[in-house]
């Protein structure tokens, strides 16, 4: 999540893209970055564009947030009760093993495509957060926990002063992995489910009509939206980390 993108690296790959497009000279196969940026500028002044961005972003963020909270909750219960861990192990293994496309198709059989991105993003995030938090809880310093028990420190204070600072790096790592996956899976769900007014529906329509500039433009929108949310969430996590350090 803290990986920095160097401007010169971006310029380099844009130049490679531009040269490849010029050498190929087939806009239907590989449109130039200048044409993509121009098309994105055209789309950005329409209400449909911002409506689609808001629609998809709201549902993916919703699914990510719900998956994050659920994963943390399940991890805490599993760390406390071995029975819960045993019950959840087959479920988490299944979610991690089954291809995203299979989940999408099954979900379309049972549910409407309107909130499909929420469900798929949720399913992709839960096992990642769950496994990382569970490992973090079990890696907590046992000597400090024994000392807290000897001095009769309450469970709330143990969580606040022992568990939270030590588990937080695992939580941050889980979020870094889950963020990108939730966007990829959420958009994939929209492309297959084609809910009206979503980025996935716009991308699918552009593909059907062989509108290559639109395909690249909407793909760029997905990358930028994912990056913006990742940076915003990263700042929130940084603030939380500093808060736990002050405690």
């Amino acid at each position: 999540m803290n990986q920095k993108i160097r401007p010169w690296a971006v310029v380099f790959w844009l130049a490679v893209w531009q040269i490849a497009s010029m050498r190929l000279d087939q806009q239907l196969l590989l449109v130039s970055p200048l044409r993509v940026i121009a098309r994105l500028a055209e789309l950005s002044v329409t209400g449909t564009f911002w409506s689609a961005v808001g629609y998809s972003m709201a549902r993916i963020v919703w699914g990510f947030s719900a998956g994050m909270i659920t994963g943390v909750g399940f991890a805490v219960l599993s760390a406390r009760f071995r029975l819960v861990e045993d019950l959840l192990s087959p479920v988490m293994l299944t979610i991690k093993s089954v291809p995203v496309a299979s989940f999408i198709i099954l979900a379309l059989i049972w549910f409407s495509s309107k909130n499909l991105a929420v469900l798929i993003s949720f399913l992709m995030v839960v096992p990642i957060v769950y496994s990382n938090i569970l490992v973090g809880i079990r890696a907590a310093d046992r000597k400090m926990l024994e000392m807290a028990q000897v001095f009769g420190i309450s469970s709330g204070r143990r969580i606040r002063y022992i568990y939270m600072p030590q588990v937080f790096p695992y939580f941050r790592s889980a979020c870094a992995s889950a963020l990108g996956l939730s966007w990829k899976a959420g958009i994939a769900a929209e492309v297959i489910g084609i809910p009206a007014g979503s980025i996935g529906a716009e991308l699918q329509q552009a593909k059907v009509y062989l509108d290559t500039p639109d395909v690249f433009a909407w793909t760029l929108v997905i990358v930028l939206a994912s990056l913006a949310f990742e940076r915003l969430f990263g700042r929130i996590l940084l603030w939380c980390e500093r808060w736990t350090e002050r405690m």
Side-chain angles (χ1 to χ4, degrees):
M1 186 173 294
N2 294 325
Q3 184 177 2
K4 293 183 179 180
I5 298 177
R6 304 295 182 182
W8 65 264
V10 175
V11 172
F12 172 80
W13 288 111
L14 285 175
V16 171
W17 179 6
Q18 179 67 33
I19 293 170
S21 176
M22 293 171 63
R23 291 292 299 271
L24 184 61
D25 197 23
Q26 291 288 338
Q27 292 292 303
L28 184 63
L29 297 178
L30 183 61
V31 66
S32 69
L34 295 177
R35 180 70 185 95
V36 173
I37 294 172
R39 181 55 183 154
L40 181 58
E42 294 172 4
L43 291 171
S44 64
V45 296
T46 64
T48 304
F49 171 84
W50 292 107
S51 176
V53 172
Y55 182 101
S56 297
M57 180 174 284
R59 280 157 179 76
I60 292 172
V61 171
W62 181 12
F64 171 82
S65 302
M68 181 180 62
I69 294 170
T70 303
V72 171
F74 281 164
V76 172
L77 290 174
S78 294
R80 181 67 178 85
F81 305 104
R82 184 57 184 267
L83 177 62
V84 176
E85 182 183 6
D86 292 339
L87 287 172
L88 289 176
S89 292
V91 178
M92 295 300 170
L93 180 61
T94 301
I95 294 175
K96 288 190 288 187
S97 303
V98 174
V100 178
S102 298
F103 273 125
I104 296 171
I105 294 171
L106 288 172
L108 281 173
I109 296 174
W110 299 325
F111 307 103
S112 166
S113 63
K114 182 178 180 181
N115 291 315
L116 183 61
V118 178
L119 176 62
I120 299 303
S121 297
F122 171 83
L123 289 175
M124 295 302 105
V125 171
V126 169
I128 297 175
V129 175
Y130 170 80
S131 58
N132 277 267
I133 296 299
L134 186 57
V135 170
I137 292 174
R138 288 180 173 165
D141 192 333
R142 294 299 162 190
K143 292 182 179 180
M144 292 186 66
L145 293 172
E146 290 173 1
M147 182 187 68
Q149 186 175 4
V150 169
F151 285 95
I153 297 175
S154 65
S155 299
R157 288 181 175 273
R158 292 183 199 181
I159 293 172
R160 182 176 179 181
Y161 296 111
I162 299 177
Y163 280 110
M164 284 182 62
Q166 297 188 45
V167 173
F168 195 85
Y170 293 88
F171 176 70
R172 182 176 55 197
S173 176
C175 290
S177 301
L179 267 170
L181 186 59
S182 65
W183 272 93
K184 292 177 183 178
I187 295 298
E190 291 183 349
V191 170
I192 296 176
I194 319 179
S198 66
I199 291 178
E202 297 290 342
L203 195 58
Q204 177 69 2
Q205 184 178 1
K207 189 266 293 184
V208 169
Y209 289 102
L210 297 178
D211 192 345
T212 309
D214 271 33
V215 171
F216 276 86
W218 282 110
T219 302
L220 181 59
V221 169
I222 296 167
V223 172
L224 293 176
S226 175
L227 183 61
F229 179 62
E230 181 178 333
R231 291 296 173 87
L232 175 61
F233 194 75
R235 289 183 178 274
I236 294 174
L237 287 182
L238 181 60
W239 179 85
C240 292
E241 185 176 16
R242 289 174 177 173
W243 178 68
T244 56
E245 288 175 354
R246 287 199 299 269
M247 289 194 303

